[in-house]
Amino acid sequence: MSSIDFLFQGIIKAFELIFSLNPYIISITGVSIRVSGTATILATLTAIPLACGITFLNFKGKQALITLINTGMGLPSVFVGLFIFLMIVPAGPFGFLKMYYTQEAMILAQYILITPVICGISLAAIKAVPQPVIDTVYTLGGSRKDIVITMLREARFGLFTSVLAGLGRALAEVGAILIVGGNIAYTGSVGGIGEGLSYTRSLTTAITLETSKGEVSTSIALGIILISLVLSINILANFFQRME
Amino acid sequence: MRNLSVKILFVSILISIFAGCVQQAPTGNTTTPIPTASVPLELRLATTTSTCDTKLLDVLNKKFEETNNVKILTVCEGTGKAIATGELGAVDVVMVHAVDSELKAVANGSFINRSYMMYNYFVIIGPENDPAGIRNASNATEVFSKIASKQSAFISRGDSSGTHIMEKSIWKAANITPAGTWYQSNGKGMGDTIITADTKEGYTLSDRGTYLSMKDKIKLKILFESDQKYLFNPYHVMSANPVKFPNVKYDLAMKYIGYVLSPQGQDIIRNYGKDKYGEALFVPEEDAGDVTGP
């Protein structure tokens, strides 16, 4: 079988899996959305206020913090996964939380991975607001608060892009959640597509599993579902932006 | 103003999508039919890729879950990592196949009640034209010597799994330190390694079960088997030591081990794969006879 055949079979299989509403596929897609969506919401709530604080406040160690955030944008996910796993296993310092092999651990891992991404892009977006805009608010007698609000409003597209970038990285990520979540599905689907539902198996970790078994067309099908998911979020986001 | 209300509508749609997903989790889990009212217990099992990829566990665990109101959370990761996970206290029971590593982990107090549950044989697979001429070798060490002297491509698991440990012990017995471009370490599970070997038309060592479950997707054939000394592949189950890890579900782990060794569990192992592959993938301990685990 040629690789093009795999691709075609994968596309056909993707449609079969989507339109048959296969419960296993729905459950792994659900885990992907739930974990990455929650991580993105939490990361946004941390990152954007942090970016504002860095932009509008002056404090010691500001430059060091910016360097830390920029470094964090390139954190290797496997390392983050392993580090968190060692922290949360019973033999580790946070073992009492019993977070190992749970969706909460997956959310935590992705939160750590994408907070710097959202923060870094937000910083750049706020910084890119043209100086004349700020000057105008100032000359019109605007207070410090007015300047902050104006800058955030001017930077809104960039801020929005930062959230989408974070969500995109979270949905595509596999290294960290594979380690902390364990890629677990209930009996019936332990070895791949079956009757069992997902516990900590996401679209990306399922792709890893199917590829390792040589089920290439299934992997392609899952990949197509993942890409469609990201695409529809972006179309929605685009629509949202054009409403302005 | 109208603009604002549309925006609010969109934000609430987005939030409800995520919220819907968050809520879906518990309902999705609890609506699966559970005859008893009580919430099922969870048993964490770390195991090697072969028991997962062959789907043996999907069949074997089902019966246990139904009769005991238990959900088994299976982590499939290769023997080396499965034992390491157990040594961190993250699982209640492990099902693995590397005798020396198992004994070491029992000796350091991480596991107890190590029990022999089943075996099969490793097979040496390679391209049909057999460039190293291993088909007529008399034992596994001779096979490895031939591959090394011909410098034919050999793909190693390279992941400290049971299969990798067995492979290293065969090289050692053959007095060869494999090195050179022909010897490639893959660092992945059995399925991945078979696919790599298939792509590169190289040789590799595989457990029989995983090979059989993939044989329709690859061109490699079994070229050497039935060396009872070096290709013997026994599987053991053991429970995490509750003295070392007070949080593990020791009673449930023991119940599971008891089930795997019971006539019911052994019978499932005995018959698994016969309908799909024309032969059983594993031999249960009950049928082992003289073939006993070390």
Side-chain angles (χ1 to χ4, degrees):
Chain A
M1 194 151 69
S2 79
S3 42
I4 298 298
D5 290 336
F6 277 128
L7 209 61
F8 276 118
Q9 276 196 4
I11 293 169
I12 294 166
K13 198 155 190 174
F15 279 102
E16 276 173 18
L17 290 174
I18 293 169
F19 289 107
S20 65
L21 295 177
N22 181 304
Y24 167 75
I25 299 294
I26 292 174
S27 73
I28 60 173
T29 310
V31 168
S32 271
I33 297 176
R34 192 179 314 132
V35 167
S36 301
T38 313
T40 306
I41 291 170
L42 295 177
T44 304
L45 293 178
T46 315
I48 291 186
L50 187 64
C52 292
I54 291 172
T55 312
F56 299 116
L57 302 176
N58 276 315
F59 53 91
K60 217 176 160 192
K62 184 165 158 173
Q63 210 50 49
L65 184 61
I66 293 174
T67 309
L68 194 71
I69 289 165
N70 288 335
T71 311
M73 288 173 79
L75 275 182
S77 60
V78 178
F79 175 78
V80 170
L82 188 58
F83 181 78
I84 294 174
F85 186 69
L86 291 175
M87 290 296 114
I88 60 177
V89 288
F94 298 100
F96 63 91
L97 294 172
K98 298 200 173 166
M99 267 182 82
Y100 51 97
Y101 299 139
T102 61
Q103 291 182 13
E104 285 73 29
M106 296 161 79
I107 292 169
L108 174 66
Q110 294 201 332
Y111 169 79
I112 290 173
L113 281 170
I114 66 174
T115 300
V117 174
I118 298 178
C119 193
I121 300 176
S122 301
L123 270 175
I126 300 171
K127 220 175 200 170
V129 175
Q131 190 63 35
V133 174
I134 302 163
D135 293 343
T136 310
V137 180
Y138 203 68
T139 48
L140 288 172
S143 66
R144 198 178 157 78
K145 195 179 142 200
D146 292 328
I147 294 177
V148 171
I149 290 170
T150 309
M151 282 181 81
L152 287 181
R153 186 176 293 158
E154 288 298 312
R156 65 187 181 280
F157 288 131
L159 295 178
F160 203 64
T161 305
S162 76
V163 176
L164 283 181
L167 181 62
R169 176 161 198 208
L171 279 171
E173 192 274 323
V174 57
I177 54 173
L178 189 63
I179 296 175
V180 300
N183 194 20
I184 298 168
Y186 287 115
T187 301
S189 296
V190 170
I193 290 186
E195 297 139 21
L197 296 180
S198 165
Y199 177 68
T200 55
R201 187 173 295 166
S202 74
L203 281 166
T204 53
T205 62
I207 291 173
T208 312
L209 173 73
E210 297 295 344
T211 309
S212 77
K213 283 173 21 204
E215 299 284 354
V216 180
S217 51
T218 310
S219 298
I220 299 279
L222 294 172
I224 289 170
I225 295 173
L226 179 60
I227 293 167
S228 316
L229 185 69
V230 178
L231 184 69
S232 31
I233 290 170
N234 278 286
I235 289 173
L236 202 68
N238 192 355
F239 187 68
F240 180 53
Q241 284 190 349
R242 272 192 308 182
M243 309 256 306
E244 295 286 334
Chain B
M1 223 42 218
R2 187 185 153 269
N3 207 344
L4 182 72
S5 53
V6 178
K7 260 192 256 176
I8 291 171
L9 180 73
F10 260 91
V11 172
S12 38
I13 288 173
L14 272 178
I15 290 172
S16 60
I17 288 173
F18 287 126
C21 297
V22 174
Q23 280 162 7
Q24 195 192 334
T27 45
N29 294 343
T30 46
T31 47
T32 40
I34 300 152
T36 43
S38 60
V39 180
L41 288 166
E42 286 179 344
L43 179 71
R44 287 185 166 80
L45 162 71
T47 184
T48 162
T49 52
S50 52
T51 51
C52 296
D53 288 354
T54 58
K55 295 199 162 212
L56 168 70
L57 286 180
D58 279 321
V59 178
L60 182 65
N61 289 354
K62 198 169 184 181
K63 202 100 209 152
F64 181 75
E65 292 186 337
E66 282 168 358
T67 44
N68 293 290
N69 190 27
V70 175
K71 285 274 181 200
I72 299 180
L73 304 178
T74 311
V75 188
C76 312
E77 51 189 4
T79 290
K81 207 176 152 216
I83 290 178
T85 306
E87 285 175 331
L88 293 168
V91 289
D92 307 308
V93 61
V94 295
M95 181 184 292
V96 287
H97 65 139
V99 171
D100 290 344
S101 311
E102 290 159 20
L103 293 175
K104 218 181 276 173
V106 170
N108 73 25
S110 299
F111 297 99
I112 51 173
N113 301 308
R114 174 173 170 270
S115 319
Y116 181 32
M117 63 174 284
M118 63 183 186
Y119 75 92
N120 63 9
Y121 284 103
F122 287 110
V123 293
I124 298 168
I125 58 177
E128 199 155 18
N129 65 356
D130 190 14
I134 65 166
R135 268 204 181 91
N136 301 315
S138 54
N139 57 41
T141 51
E142 195 189 330
V143 169
F144 275 36
S145 303
K146 283 186 163 180
I147 293 172
S149 64
K150 275 271 173 17
Q151 307 225 332
S152 303
F154 185 95
I155 315 299
S156 166
R157 283 282 291 273
D159 63 351
S160 295
S161 59
T163 310
H164 183 218
I165 290 168
M166 174 57 76
E167 181 213 313
K168 285 196 288 190
S169 72
I170 300 173
W171 288 117
K172 204 173 165 195
N175 266 323
I176 296 168
T177 312
T181 50
W182 60 275
Y183 183 80
Q184 296 166 14
S185 179
N186 206 37
K188 284 184 179 166
M190 194 69 254
D192 275 316
T193 305
I194 291 177
I195 290 166
T196 308
D198 192 49
T199 316
K200 297 191 170 178
E201 301 192 327
Y203 293 92
T204 194
L205 180 72
S206 170
D207 67 284
R208 191 183 186 84
T210 308
Y211 169 74
L212 287 178
S213 72
M214 292 179 70
K215 71 172 193 240
D216 296 339
K217 299 177 203 109
I218 54 170
K219 296 187 292 290
L220 301 183
K221 300 277 180 254
I222 294 180
L223 298 178
F224 185 85
E225 59 185 327
S226 66
D227 178 330
Q228 309 220 332
K229 186 174 173 199
Y230 284 111
L231 299 183
F232 180 57
N233 182 25
Y235 288 77
H236 290 79
V237 270
M238 25 189 212
S239 69
N241 186 352
V243 177
K244 192 169 178 182
F245 307 108
N247 288 326
V248 298
K249 298 197 180 78
Y250 175 68
D251 293 340
L252 197 58
M254 285 313 295
K255 212 173 185 180
Y256 179 72
I257 292 176
Y259 161 76
V260 170
L261 302 180
S262 73
Q264 192 183 30
Q266 295 277 296
D267 203 47
I268 290 174
I269 296 170
R270 181 178 296 117
N271 292 312
Y272 183 71
K274 278 183 182 165
D275 49 348
K276 200 169 168 193
Y277 308 110
E279 56 182 300
L281 301 188
F282 300 94
V283 183
E285 187 270 340
E286 272 185 356
D287 301 351
D290 293 339
V291 193
T292 44

